[in-house]
Every structure is written in C-alpha cells, then in structure tokens.
Amino acid sequence: MALSEILLPVHGILLIGSFILGTVIGSFCNVCISRWPTGESVVQPRSRCPKCLNSIAWYDNIPLISWLILGARCRNCRASISAQYPLVEGLTGVMFALAYWRFGLTIATPVYMLFCSGMIIVTFQDFTDWTIPDEVTLSGIPAGVALSLVGMALEDASGLRVTSLFDALGGAALGGGILFTLDRITVFVLKKPGMGFGDVKLLAMVGAFLGWKGALGTLVIASLLGSVVGVGILAYFRWYGKTGTGPGEAPTEPPAGDKETITLEGHYLPFGPWLALGAVIFLFIGPEIIDAYFTLIEPSPEPIVIFNETDMLIN
C-alpha cells in the first residue's frame, strides 16, 4: 500500500479536527465581537445571555449544536439568539479546515488559522459596531513582522507567504501608506470624510502577514468586491427608494464621527469587511491570481502570422 493511501485517512481526520477546532475558536471570536467594542474583558465573566444576564451552561454553549438544539432561544428567558453566533462559528470552522487543506502540516497552518479568525472578527465587528478592533490590527502588525523571521529561517518549509523581513516591513508600510495617503487626500483636498485609521491599520497588518503583493492584491480585490456590492445597492436605491429603507424613511447611518465608511445615496458601507475578505482570498489563492494575471498580459512567445508572403498577389 502506498504511503499516500495510508496517510489519506489521517488527513481526513485532521481536516475534520481542524473544522471542529475552528468552531470552538469561533465561539471565542463571538465573545470578542460582542465585548471589545464596550471595553469588557473577554475572559471574565463567563458567557451569559445578553437579555437576562444568566450564565450559559457548558452544554448550552457547544458551537453550532447548542444553537440548533435550543431553537435559537435562551434556555432561561427564551429570548432569541442571533444567527451571528452559529454563522461566526461555522465560518471559522471552514477557514480552519481550508487552512489545513491549503498549507498542510506546516507552521503556516496555525498562523493562518489565527489570521483568518482575526479577519472574521474584523468583518463582524465592523458591520455591527462600525469599528475595527486594535486588538487585532495593532497586535497583528508586529506578529506578522516577527513571523517573517521564522519564514527566513525555514524558507519554503515554513509554508508562510512571507519569508523576508523586508517583504513584511514593506508590505505593512505600503498597505498602511496607501490608505493613509488616500485618507488625507480625501479629507484635505476633496473635503470629504476619509477612510478612517481602522482601515489603515488593517491593511498594514495584512501587508505584514502577506507582503507587499498581498497588500496590493487585497486592496484591489476589496475595491472590486466593494464596488460590485455598492453598485448593486445603488441600483436597489434607485428602484425601490432613495434610502433603500422605504419611501420617506431615514437612511441607515453609522455612529457619530465614524469615518470608516463608503456612502451611496445616503447609505453607509464599512470598508473593513471587504479588506478582510480580500485578504482571505489572497491568502488562499493569491499566487494563482498573480500567475493568471501575468499569463494574460504576457506577450505570445511566437509572432502571430496574419498572412504569408507567398499568398500575396503581385500585380
């Protein structure tokens, strides 16, 4: 029996185990999403119902399963439990499984599992609270730079996207620098609200983990995705009503003073989730995207013959 056939069941078990581990970490991500905006500790107190404030028993806190068994309601007060909880747990589980599937038994796997967890926290917190947590970005920038040293030592064996300190530092500087420059131009030249420093720090963190190519690729992907969604929302506004909330109703607005948004016909969209999604896409298929791009723009190695001289008629 070939070695690959022997290891196949092992990889299957590890893949399932990665998903299960991801759902557990996803449960913790939910705690971060709900508590970081209010400044609460993510360690104490124990998980509790936001309505009745009763502590949640361990058997009611099993990722995915408990939400289904309880019918999306608190056991004590019967208040509804947001679908965000199983969604975050399930997404984190999928990201963990994909990380193992993509990077295998390398140091890159746990690193990018945690990276994806951070991107999930950023996405949901920015959508719900209009903020990007410094706990993710400001701690992620030095972590990404430090990991580049591991990449330098182990090189390709590490599986890391960045194996050069220069690439990590350059990626952080380029990612943060681009959005910082755009923010200043928007504020001082165009006299409009800028991107906000949460996005600046987020793209700097992405650059530290994925290098300068990752920073640029993430920004391009995020801009494309955000534009597609924005155009869809704009079309909906014009078809249904100016605000998208119904004729005569007030538009949805972010908290006062928030600048990390894109505005469309009175509606506001955070940009952080698109940066996070772009970073995850580039993490998993970035090299393939770059190869496909250069394949498209690379000139043909042989000249294309439009006609042969022998086919010309001489008058």
Side-chain angles (χ1 to χ4, degrees):
M1 182 179 292
L3 180 61
S4 59
E5 295 178 354
I6 297 175
L7 293 178
L8 187 60
V10 176
H11 285 305
I13 293 172
L14 290 175
L15 192 65
I16 295 172
S18 296
F19 175 81
I20 295 173
L21 176 62
T23 62
V24 174
I25 299 299
S27 181
F28 179 72
C29 289
N30 274 318
V31 175
C32 297
I33 293 167
S34 63
R35 296 189 184 185
W36 273 344
T38 61
E40 294 182 77
S41 169
V42 296
V43 180
Q44 292 291 338
R46 290 176 51 189
S47 296
R48 61 188 185 275
C49 172
K51 300 294 183 181
C52 65
L53 301 182
N54 282 316
S55 295
I56 300 175
W58 68 266
Y59 48 80
D60 287 337
N61 208 21
I62 302 173
L64 298 178
I65 297 175
S66 293
W67 188 83
L68 294 172
I69 292 176
L70 292 171
R73 292 190 176 276
C74 172
R75 183 183 295 274
N76 297 300
C77 67
R78 305 307 297 167
S80 62
I81 302 173
S82 172
Q84 172 189 305
Y85 292 96
L87 181 58
V88 169
E89 292 164 355
L91 278 176
T92 310
V94 170
M95 289 298 102
F96 273 46
L98 284 176
Y100 172 73
W101 173 76
R102 185 68 175 84
F103 299 101
L105 296 173
T106 66
I107 193 174
T109 297
V111 167
Y112 293 137
M113 284 177 173
L114 294 178
F115 178 82
C116 289
S117 299
M119 295 302 100
I120 290 173
I121 292 173
V122 164
T123 297
F124 282 86
Q125 184 168 322
D126 205 13
F127 267 134
T128 57
D129 193 66
W130 302 90
T131 59
I132 295 176
D134 287 342
E135 290 86 349
V136 173
T137 57
L138 292 186
S139 60
I141 294 172
V145 173
L147 284 166
S148 70
L149 299 176
V150 178
M152 289 177 63
L154 300 179
E155 297 182 340
D156 292 341
S158 69
L160 295 170
R161 291 295 191 206
V162 174
T163 56
S164 162
L165 179 61
F166 175 79
D167 196 9
L169 291 173
L174 182 64
I178 289 176
L179 289 190
F180 177 80
T181 302
L182 290 175
D183 176 77
R184 296 300 89 187
I185 291 174
T186 303
V187 172
F188 293 109
V189 178
L190 301 180
K191 306 299 183 182
K192 295 181 179 180
M195 296 292 295
F197 286 105
D199 296 319
V200 173
K201 290 176 283 189
L202 176 58
L203 194 55
M205 173 199 167
V206 170
F209 272 89
L210 303 182
W212 68 269
K213 292 180 182 178
L216 287 178
T218 294
L219 183 58
V220 170
I221 295 170
S223 300
L224 290 174
L225 293 174
S227 298
V228 169
V229 173
V231 169
I233 292 176
L234 183 59
Y236 175 74
F237 289 159
R238 292 181 175 177
W239 176 74
Y240 181 65
K242 186 173 182 179
T243 65
T245 56
E249 297 183 25
T252 303
E253 295 187 3
D258 183 87
K259 298 194 304 178
E260 298 171 15
T261 57
I262 303 171
T263 61
L264 286 170
E265 299 279 342
H267 194 89
Y268 296 81
L269 292 175
F271 191 49
W274 307 113
L275 286 173
L277 180 57
V280 171
I281 291 174
F282 193 91
L283 169 66
F284 287 114
I285 59 173
E288 290 77 9
I289 292 175
I290 294 175
D291 289 343
Y293 172 75
F294 281 108
T295 299
L296 288 174
I297 66 173
E298 187 178 42
S300 176
E302 297 181 0
I304 300 175
V305 178
I306 300 177
F307 60 86
N308 194 299
E309 292 182 359
T310 58
D311 295 332
M312 297 178 63
L313 296 177
I314 302 176
N315 294 327

